[in-house]
Amino acid sequence: MGNRLPSSAALVRFCQKLNRVKTLEDDLMETSFKRCLSTLDLTLLGVGGMVGSGLYVLTGTVAKEIAGPAVVISFLIAGIASLLAALCYAEFGARVPKTGSAYMFTYVSVGELWAFLIGWNVILEYMIGGAAVARAWSGYLDSIFDHKIKNYTESHIGTWNVQFLAHNPDFLAAGILLLATAFISFGVRVSSWLNHIFAAISLAIILFILIFGFILANPKNWSAEYGGFAPFGFSGIMSGTATCFYAFVGFDVIAASSEEARNPQKSIPIATAVSLGLATGAYILVSIVLTLMVPWNTLIPDSALSDAFYRRGYSWAGFLVAAGSICAMNTVLLSNLFSLPRIVYAMAEDGLFFQFFAKVNPTTKVPVIGIVVFGFLMAILALIFDLEALVQFLSIGTLLAYTFVAASIIVLRFQQHRAPAVSAERIAGEEMKEYESFSDKLQLVETRKKGKERRETGHLKAAFEPYLKFLSDCYPGEVVTISVVTMMFCAICLCSVLVFGSNQLHLPKWSFYLLLVIFLIGFLISLFLIWVHEQQKKTTTFQVPLVPLIPSLSILLNIYLMLKLNYMTWVRFTVWLAIGLIVYFGYGIWHSKENLRGPKGHGVTARYVVFPNSSLEETVQQIQPNLQDSMGRAEITDEDIHKR
């Protein structure tokens, strides 16, 4: 029995496989896609991804059922939290201009298993997002025709009385998704121009809503007579914020499109900031207008804005708003169908998902198989699920992706640059020529001394070494990685106490505050231990300011909002994760390109090695890697040689 147990070395190798990171190519701008998107294209893609069903449907849903007029605050907090996440996406998108969004960012910094799970959740995010928008699109079009389409479906086809499913099938929503899938298949330029047209119409309609809506505004609708500004209190505001995240999930379409951007280093940060600012402003102003036009408790969630104008006696305005909402939702549909196949393509290209999804059409330069398959799956979801269940499910996957991207930024910022993998033959052929003369050796010594003074990335800052000497011997970045994990654990515990401590757990006041203090101190200590290490020097691409503070706040806020979602959302999410683990361990881990990177034979290399006492000694060593080691240890870097 004991012989059947895996050895400790085998377990270590298995864990290393799960946490291996993606090796990037030398030329990050090389791609099989077509780089044709400008900053304006990316900005409008971002606006189109965010300003859609969330504006026309979510404002009414959250205002009536969750937060009341305080939906304004919910959107503001959700916008700020999204900004923290968007800054992290912008840095990654500029530094790693490859398609894959949160999946790719996690893969190059944290590890393979986590990247797969994030990619798996991003797939779900886009599928549900597209289905939810199609449902909302159908509802608004139906409202124009006085709900005749819905009534016809119920009377001629029937209704369902099944929990978690819609009251009736929505063939109109499924049909628009299939039509949008066909347009997306024609190529990136076609979908980009369609997005431009719909986005321009949508922005014009929003401007009309704001001007005419403020004219019709009645401050009495925020008065105590209707429950006041925040009838559901602070808890309602934060629950509303968790749901309002659905409105801002579209900004990651910009990062997902980075492999098709002409100048990703410049255009991705600009497009992300501008589109998020426009979307947040639009949501806040429209929610103010909506709750001032009619009492919040009388809103009709499925078509709140158009119904508000109808009830104020301006049916023509209601018709115009409904038409504008359809255009806005078209941009979100295009955004979701544009991004989803590219995430799937990135995973398939890395070998973690089925290989046929990595095929790019030679004419249109888009992954047609992924577009068709997932467009069809979206249509099925839109056919049978209702909007509310879809929106709740969407938020949790988005928040998890944001959390991992924020953690990845911290890990990446304190990691030493990993040079592209090189073989020992190349080292023997090229690097032996580096130190040929005695003056070269002296120059190497001086360089090493200066390096010690400057401190390398991931090392403890010199000012803190006398006080934290016990951390000096750790491998560069090791303390930071452990601190990030500890910080996330403390954030989960802290938020759990805040959300469940008083109601579900019924904690006494003294223990409630004691636990808050303990976990807050743990969070702050982790943050401090990260901060006392050296970061990477400034790069030419965009960098998130105030690292690790901003990513840490993003992690804390995202986890808090995740815990505010209802338990059924977590149940469905857990089932989806379990399916993902089956796919990964059944297929991905065996077909991963990182797993297939085989070791190479190595020859004899001669090097001058500088020891800690700065003495010079020429050494000749035979490198004989273990050919059974699948982790590619035969690849060595300059840093490894210096350590010897």
Side-chain angles (χ1 to χ4, degrees):
M1 182 69 182
N3 294 333
R4 295 180 183 177
L5 293 174
S7 66
S8 57
L11 287 173
V12 168
R13 284 197 297 273
F14 179 71
C15 291
Q16 286 175 330
K17 280 188 176 186
L18 300 182
N19 291 285
R20 59 195 168 199
V21 295
K22 179 177 173 63
T23 304
L24 294 173
E25 300 85 0
D26 290 333
D27 185 7
L28 291 175
M29 294 295 287
E30 185 181 345
T31 176
S32 55
F33 289 121
K34 184 179 181 181
R35 288 196 179 275
C36 58
L37 297 178
S38 65
T39 303
L40 178 63
D41 294 331
L42 291 169
T43 302
L44 289 177
L45 268 175
V47 171
M50 288 183 278
V51 181
S53 59
L55 190 77
Y56 293 94
V57 178
L58 203 61
T59 47
T61 302
V62 176
K64 182 174 182 181
E65 299 173 1
I66 303 175
V71 62
V72 177
I73 308 298
S74 295
F75 274 118
L76 177 62
I77 298 172
I80 292 170
S82 294
L83 177 63
L84 298 178
L87 291 172
C88 300
Y89 272 79
E91 175 170 338
F92 264 123
R95 291 179 67 170
V96 188
K98 291 290 183 181
T99 193
S101 188
Y103 156 75
M104 180 64 68
F105 307 155
T106 307
Y107 203 174
V108 299
S109 56
V110 177
E112 185 173 285
L113 174 63
W114 311 107
F116 177 85
L117 292 178
I118 291 299
W120 186 248
N121 282 304
V122 169
I123 290 174
L124 180 68
E125 170 192 325
Y126 281 122
M127 283 178 61
I128 289 179
V133 172
R135 271 269 173 182
W137 183 94
S138 172
Y140 256 83
L141 185 65
D142 201 17
S143 70
I144 295 176
F145 299 105
D146 197 24
H147 304 288
K148 289 180 180 177
I149 300 172
K150 180 182 177 181
N151 295 334
Y152 180 86
T153 304
E154 289 181 353
S155 59
H156 288 78
I157 298 175
T159 59
W160 296 329
N161 292 314
V162 181
Q163 196 175 8
F164 309 128
L165 296 184
H167 185 63
N168 56 278
D170 195 334
F171 293 100
L172 189 60
I176 187 61
L177 274 168
L178 294 176
L179 184 62
T181 299
F183 277 111
I184 291 290
S185 301
F186 290 134
V188 64
R189 290 311 306 171
V190 174
S191 51
S192 179
W193 276 108
L194 271 176
N195 181 72
H196 284 16
I197 294 168
F198 288 131
I201 296 171
S202 176
L203 290 173
I205 297 295
I206 290 170
L207 196 60
F208 166 78
I209 291 170
L210 295 178
I211 295 171
F212 198 35
F214 274 117
I215 293 172
L216 299 176
N218 182 4
K220 184 182 177 182
N221 292 325
W222 283 11
S223 67
E225 181 182 343
Y226 295 102
F229 178 73
F232 298 98
F234 179 75
S235 178
I237 291 173
M238 295 310 295
S239 295
T241 300
T243 305
C244 286
F245 251 83
Y246 165 64
F248 298 100
V249 300
F251 75 76
D252 59 356
V253 67
I254 299 171
S257 310
S258 58
E259 199 163 334
E260 288 154 289
R262 291 177 195 157
N263 184 9
Q265 286 79 14
K266 177 184 175 183
S267 57
I268 287 174
I270 294 173
T272 301
V274 172
S275 61
L276 190 62
L278 288 173
T280 304
Y283 276 110
I284 291 171
L285 292 173
V286 168
S287 58
I288 290 172
V289 164
L290 178 63
T291 52
L292 285 176
M293 281 178 63
V294 293
W296 62 270
N297 52 5
T298 64
L299 291 171
I300 300 175
D302 286 344
S303 51
L305 274 169
S306 59
D307 280 325
F309 281 104
Y310 278 123
R311 286 163 56 193
R312 292 300 297 270
Y314 296 94
S315 56
W316 61 271
F319 180 84
L320 194 63
V321 170
S325 71
I326 290 170
C327 289
M329 292 179 206
N330 283 337
T331 64
V332 182
L333 281 178
L334 292 171
S335 173
N336 280 275
L337 282 166
F338 182 89
S339 302
L340 174 56
R342 284 154 177 80
I343 306 293
V344 175
Y345 164 84
M347 295 176 70
E349 180 71 10
D350 291 332
L352 301 185
F353 206 50
F354 305 112
Q355 195 62 39
F356 57 85
F357 286 121
K359 293 182 180 177
V360 175
N361 187 283
T363 305
T364 60
K365 298 289 184 182
V366 293
V368 174
I369 295 175
I371 292 171
V372 172
V373 169
F374 284 93
F376 183 73
L377 290 175
M378 272 191 204
I380 293 174
L381 285 177
L383 182 70
I384 62 176
F385 286 103
D386 69 343
L387 182 63
E388 186 178 352
L390 290 172
V391 169
Q392 282 278 329
F393 205 2
L394 173 63
S395 295
I396 192 169
T398 306
L399 290 166
L400 185 68
Y402 289 176
T403 302
F404 267 85
V405 170
S408 299
I409 278 290
I410 299 174
V411 172
L412 184 71
R413 189 69 71 84
F414 291 88
Q415 264 182 0
Q416 293 187 331
H417 286 291
R418 288 191 298 270
V422 292
S423 65
E425 289 92 335
R426 181 175 170 183
I427 292 173
E430 297 178 8
E431 295 190 1
M432 279 179 62
K433 299 176 183 178
E434 284 186 47
Y435 316 120
E436 293 177 344
S437 67
F438 185 70
S439 60
D440 287 336
K441 302 172 193 176
L442 291 178
Q443 188 176 0
L444 175 62
V445 172
E446 291 302 314
T447 302
R448 294 296 293 167
K449 284 182 177 178
K450 289 179 182 177
K452 286 183 179 180
E453 292 170 6
R454 281 199 307 266
R455 298 275 173 169
E456 295 178 357
T457 302
H459 285 87
L460 192 66
K461 291 179 180 176
F464 293 96
E465 185 163 3
Y467 312 102
L468 300 170
K469 198 169 182 63
F470 63 96
L471 298 178
S472 302
D473 297 330
C474 295
Y475 188 81
E478 183 181 0
V479 176
V480 172
T481 303
I482 294 171
S483 298
V484 169
V485 174
T486 306
M487 175 193 291
M488 293 182 73
F489 173 78
C490 290
I492 292 170
C493 295
L494 179 64
C495 294
S496 298
V497 173
L498 280 171
V499 175
F500 306 115
S502 299
N503 299 328
Q504 284 87 343
L505 299 179
H506 304 292
L507 292 174
K509 269 196 173 182
W510 67 268
S511 61
F512 176 81
Y513 289 114
L514 179 63
L515 289 172
L516 282 183
V517 170
I518 290 172
F519 292 125
L520 181 60
I521 290 173
F523 183 87
L524 293 176
I525 289 174
S526 301
L527 183 61
F528 173 75
L529 289 177
I530 296 169
W531 177 70
V532 298
H533 287 78
E534 292 286 354
Q535 293 188 38
Q536 289 178 4
K537 301 297 184 287
K538 284 284 184 182
T539 62
T540 54
T541 58
F542 171 78
Q543 285 189 313
V544 180
L546 300 176
V547 171
L549 180 61
I550 285 180
S552 300
L553 290 176
S554 180
I555 290 170
L556 188 63
L557 190 52
N558 294 336
I559 290 173
Y560 178 82
L561 294 176
M562 285 173 72
L563 294 176
K564 292 292 288 184
L565 297 170
N566 66 51
Y567 78 96
M568 281 311 302
T569 302
W570 280 93
V571 171
R572 291 190 287 262
F573 176 70
T574 304
V575 171
W576 179 253
L577 274 187
I579 296 170
L581 289 172
I582 293 170
V583 173
Y584 176 73
F585 287 109
Y587 181 89
I589 193 172
W590 309 107
H591 295 82
S592 166
K593 285 190 177 178
E594 294 300 323
N595 187 51
L596 300 176
R597 290 181 188 274
K600 299 177 182 179
H602 303 284
V604 178
T605 63
R607 292 282 306 203
Y608 285 104
V609 179
V610 181
F611 288 99
N613 60 2
S614 296
S615 63
L616 293 170
E617 181 176 330
E618 183 175 273
T619 63
V620 178
Q621 55 184 356
Q622 178 74 37
I623 302 173
Q624 294 180 332
N626 179 6
L627 296 178
Q628 301 301 318
D629 190 344
S630 63
M631 297 309 298
R633 290 180 184 163
E635 296 175 351
I636 59 177
T637 63
D638 287 338
E639 183 186 344
D640 296 324
I641 294 172
H642 286 312
K643 284 182 179 176
R644 297 191 182 99

